[in-house]
Amino acid sequence: MLQVRVDPDRCDGYGRCEVIAPEVFRLGEHAPVEILIDGDIPEDLEGKVIRAVERCPKLALSLNVDLD
């Protein structure tokens, strides 16, 4: 199971994550980026989320992988 987190103090709102995975990320009005999925990322979106995390210029996104 895969979860994604954002560090709002690091995010500068470049929006690359939203371009890569708009089903998961949205630039917010009050926070630089919002995660639209609460909890585990659906399997069909995992690749997009991983790419978004890898391409974040401020390293504001991180993954949490539950191996159980």
Side-chain angles (χ1 to χ4, degrees):
M1 293 185 224
L2 183 72
Q3 295 181 351
V4 64
R5 300 188 196 304
V6 62
D7 180 344
D9 294 329
R10 293 184 136 220
C11 180
D12 280 346
Y14 286 100
R16 290 182 186 175
C17 56
E18 184 179 37
V19 170
I20 294 168
E23 308 90 340
V24 180
F25 303 100
R26 177 178 61 207
L27 291 178
E29 292 180 32
H30 304 292
V33 69
E34 296 176 25
I35 298 175
L36 303 175
I37 296 176
D38 187 31
D40 297 331
I41 301 298
E43 200 171 305
D44 63 319
L45 296 176
E46 286 181 357
K48 284 184 168 186
V49 170
I50 291 168
R51 281 192 300 282
V53 170
E54 291 173 341
R55 287 172 175 78
C56 180
K58 299 299 280 187
L59 304 175
L61 300 173
S62 61
L63 297 174
N64 182 33
V65 180
D66 184 4
L67 300 175
D68 289 337

